[in-house]
Amino acid sequence: MGSMEAKNLLLGFSTTPTASIHKPQKSPHLNLSYSYSYCPLIQSQKQSFYKKTHVGVKLVVQRTGTWKGLECRNKVETREFADIREESRRKKLAVFVSGQGSNFRSIQEASNEGQIHGEIAVLVTDKPGCGGAEYAREKDIPILLFPKSSSLPGGLSTSDLVAALQSFEVDFLLLAGYLKLIPDELVRAYPRSILNIHPSLLPAFGGRGYYGLKVHKAVIASGARYSGPTVHFVDEHYDTGRILAQRVVPVLVNDTAEGLAARVLHEEHQLYVEAAAALCEGRVIWREDDGVPIIQSKENPIEYS
């Protein structure tokens, strides 16, 4: 793939960057560069300075080249530069959308407000004219088209998408109303690192064909008394990955699909932000006996939600 072809894969780059960062070329097929605001964590090994992390822990750079880190009450732990930088850096996220992208917007806003220790590095979509893609262009977020098809000839193949995401140094993938099935190759490239949000209490009302108002109409028609959003990890099938978090929404006696959808969506925005924050902070714990993911409490690490 030539440099011109690679450039055509990306839409919505900022034309007025604060600083220019050239990504290391990790794939022989892609040579990607883009611009964004960047403030290095380590300014100089010759000068000590303080940086407040998202959990309020004070970090001090020592001239000896080690971190005298985590100054928490009366306990001090010494760590190497690389270890503490990896723990404290903001994670990079790729969000996948096919529609208006309201969850994408709420995640972006939460990231800007510091609720999520991560930043959206790139948007992936199969519909370049959708509301989510328009919002990404407004915010100067790069856009990747996926998958390649007869209706989207400029889209990426799965292998090229993986290479592009690696070039952006993406840590986690967040599906936010993305309607295509995620290929096995992408699932293998990001194990336990892809989340999706679904507008029902899975495993009920999930699978191929269950999306949007179709879900809420099916819930009401079934006579179910409760619904609500589910955040789950993504596997090779529709809506069958391990459940991470859910929130219950009552179904009212005379509910409409539109009314139920609005109330569920309100909970989706909060639940997905909380799940994304836990993922970026390393608070998702996998139980050894059954492989179930649970969220560690931020306030009390020995508690789980």
Side-chain angles (χ1 to χ4, degrees), residues 76-147:
V76 177
E77 181 179 353
T78 301
R79 300 191 180 185
E80 296 298 323
F81 277 124
D83 295 339
I84 202 69
R85 288 179 69 185
E86 177 64 23
E87 291 178 9
S88 62
R89 76 173 181 87
R90 299 186 74 192
K91 301 299 183 182
K92 294 189 177 181
L93 311 173
V95 180
F96 288 52
V97 303
S98 293
Q100 291 303 310
S102 66
N103 274 299
F104 163 42
R105 296 171 189 238
S106 68
I107 290 169
Q108 168 73 359
E109 291 169 0
S111 173
N112 290 341
E113 294 170 0
Q115 298 177 47
I116 298 176
H117 194 58
E119 57 184 343
I120 298 177
V122 63
L123 181 85
V124 180
T125 185
D126 62 322
K127 298 184 182 301
C130 70
E134 291 297 329
Y135 180 78
R137 294 187 188 98
E138 292 174 7
K139 299 299 181 181
D140 293 326
I141 297 173
I143 298 173
L144 296 175
L145 303 182
F146 176 80

